[in-house]
Amino acid sequence: MEPTTMVARRSVAFVILLIAVAARAVFAITEGLLPNGHFEQGPAKSEMNGTRVLGRYSIPHWEISGFLEYIESGQKQDDMLLQVPEGERAVRLGNDATIQQQLAVTRHTYYSITFSASRTCAQAEKLNVSVTPESGVLPIQTVYTSSGWDSYSWAFKARHSTVWLSIHNPGHEENPACGPLIDRVAVKTLRSPHHVKTDNMLRNGDFEDGPYIFADTPWGVLVPPITEDEHSPLPGWMIMSDTKVVKYVDAPHHAVPRGAGAVELVAGRECALVQEVRTVPRRSYKLSFAVGDAANGCEGNLAVDVSAGRAAKLNVPYESHGTGGYKRAELEFVATDNLTRVVFQSANHYTKSDATLCGPIIDDVRLVPVHARRRRM
């Protein structure tokens, strides 16, 4: 065989290999774990210095930068034992570390990212989650589980058919290895936040649309405030707070009054669940909803403060034994504006026996006009 022919064939084979690698680099997923989203596929030992990952492409399906470590469950850091919520491995984002993956998406479609994180060093750790051109800084200093691991969600609207998802630790600690552990990254396609059912003026009032919840995760998913996420993982709803969150819980792991999902108000009066809806001034409306507990050990006299507009307010107490249950409540009001803000807040801070934060759950929220009854002749 002539040398020129062999060179040509090798060139073609190399081009085909590059195309195949490029094709594998972009994945279209509508719901579920990202490729190597649990980080069980790790770098070769030759690409590591101790626990630190050296190569930019050393972790399959991910591109990394900054001080990043590959952690195995049970590894010790000083006197602390590092645990992993699923599988045996996770990554730790040290100083200025980033993990990113390219995704194939549908333009103008809404998506939610879910990932698990655990704080390991600093008290004020935070994570910058972005899909260009959108980004949000999620505070993770408040821990909502006894295990130390929380699942976080963040939503975006796809501007392009291919996007880069990045999770970045913007911190700069004296110890460059200090930073949060990350494990399990998933995506879910969301319904448009503008979708409204015919029998309810509120969007997603039953909370059936929400972020992805890992099947073996018993602690739900935290939904960040609107200041950090323009497109809420709870379509139709805004989370109003500086640094606190609400928790989205599922029926397989919690007592949910109706359907597959509900919201637990875990941050007291520091956080509010809000939706604005168009109304007609001087027309009467009825807001109805369920208040209960998620059967997660949150006991005591739970209470929810509810308001609709500027004047209509209601406090709904609920005596919880921490084993599940709910009651329904109603608030009738006359609209004073073209836009009425519906607000739910936990009346107080509540904790479980293990000192983790908890609160009442809200579900099956409905808003309907009250038609004037005709007088009998």
Side-chain angles (χ1 to χ4, degrees):
M1 185 179 293
E2 295 183 6
T4 53
T5 304
M6 292 180 63
V7 170
R9 287 184 176 180
R10 286 176 181 173
S11 298
V12 171
F14 181 69
V15 170
I16 291 173
L17 177 62
L18 286 178
I19 293 173
V21 170
R24 288 197 301 269
V26 184
F27 293 85
I29 300 176
T30 57
E31 183 170 336
L33 199 70
L34 297 185
N36 199 25
H38 46 26
F39 302 104
E40 293 300 296
Q41 300 174 49
K45 290 191 176 181
S46 61
E47 297 174 312
M48 297 180 65
N49 180 10
T51 58
R52 184 178 181 183
V53 183
L54 302 177
R56 190 175 186 86
Y57 305 100
S58 297
I59 299 179
H61 301 288
W62 292 95
E63 183 176 334
I64 69 172
S65 62
F67 198 106
L68 186 137
E69 292 181 285
Y70 192 64
I71 303 295
E72 295 194 9
S73 184
Q75 186 172 314
K76 292 195 71 174
Q77 174 192 305
D78 298 327
D79 294 330
M80 181 171 63
L81 199 66
L82 302 178
Q83 298 293 343
V84 175
E86 190 273 338
E88 296 295 328
R89 299 167 182 86
V91 296
R92 178 156 65 176
L93 305 186
N95 281 356
D96 205 32
T98 301
I99 54 171
Q100 60 179 3
Q101 187 172 138
Q102 197 171 28
L103 308 175
V105 292
T106 302
R107 291 185 63 196
H108 309 304
T109 299
Y110 295 86
Y111 295 88
S112 177
I113 300 297
T114 297
F115 63 92
S116 296
S118 176
R119 197 181 70 200
T120 63
C121 297
Q123 294 299 308
E125 287 182 355
K126 49 191 169 185
L127 290 167
N128 189 328
V129 184
S130 66
V131 172
T132 307
E134 300 173 15
S135 66
V137 178
L138 306 186
I140 64 172
Q141 65 265 31
T142 302
V143 180
Y144 294 88
T145 64
S146 57
S147 70
W149 282 90
D150 283 304
S151 294
Y152 296 83
S153 61
W154 186 81
F156 67 95
K157 182 180 180 181
R159 306 291 178 88
H160 309 283
S161 57
T162 302
V163 298
W164 280 98
L165 162 67
S166 298
I167 302 176
H168 170 67
N169 173 22
H172 287 83
E173 300 295 328
E174 184 176 342
N175 178 358
C178 267
L181 286 169
I182 304 294
D183 191 28
R184 297 197 296 186
V185 186
V187 68
K188 180 181 177 182
T189 304
L190 298 175
R191 187 177 299 188
S192 168
H194 307 295
H195 177 80
V196 181
K197 295 183 178 180
T198 56
D199 61 344
N200 191 354
M201 296 172 62
L202 292 172
R203 292 156 287 166
N204 195 23
D206 52 9
F207 302 110
E208 295 303 283
D209 296 317
Y212 184 84
I213 296 181
F214 298 109
D216 58 347
T217 299
W219 53 68
V221 178
L222 303 177
V223 182
I226 192 171
T227 52
E228 302 300 344
D229 194 358
E230 179 184 353
H231 307 293
S232 174
L234 279 175
W237 295 93
M238 300 179 289
I239 313 304
M240 307 297 288
S241 177
D242 290 330
T243 61
K244 302 304 181 184
V245 298
V246 302
K247 181 179 287 189
Y248 184 62
V249 298
D250 62 337
H253 301 98
H254 304 83
V256 173
R258 183 177 182 272
V263 170
E264 184 180 7
L265 304 175
V266 292
R269 299 196 61 80
E270 296 180 72
C271 188
L273 179 67
V274 178
Q275 185 168 154
E276 293 181 335
V277 61
R278 294 189 180 278
T279 50
V280 178
R282 297 185 297 279
R283 179 169 292 180
S284 296
Y285 296 88
K286 182 174 71 173
L287 177 69
S288 62
F289 49 92
V291 174
D293 73 279
N296 58 359
C298 194
E299 300 181 36
N301 185 17
L302 310 183
V304 175
D305 287 331
V306 186
S307 64
R310 290 175 287 179
K313 300 181 184 298
L314 181 67
N315 176 273
V316 183
Y318 175 78
E319 188 63 35
S320 170
H321 300 288
T323 56
Y326 69 93
K327 72 177 185 180
R328 294 202 61 83
E330 294 182 354
L331 173 62
E332 288 199 18
F333 65 96
V334 177
T336 57
D337 300 288
N338 293 320
L339 203 62
T340 296
R341 174 171 284 194
V342 175
V343 180
F344 293 91
Q345 281 182 289
S346 178
N348 294 291
H349 284 90
Y350 304 99
T351 57
K352 294 186 283 187
S353 58
D354 60 6
T356 56
L357 293 170
C358 66
I361 60 171
I362 300 294
D363 196 14
D364 196 20
V365 186
R366 298 173 180 270
L367 179 65
V368 295
V370 177
H371 299 289
R373 296 180 178 89
R374 294 182 179 179
R375 288 185 178 180
R376 292 184 178 180
M377 300 299 293

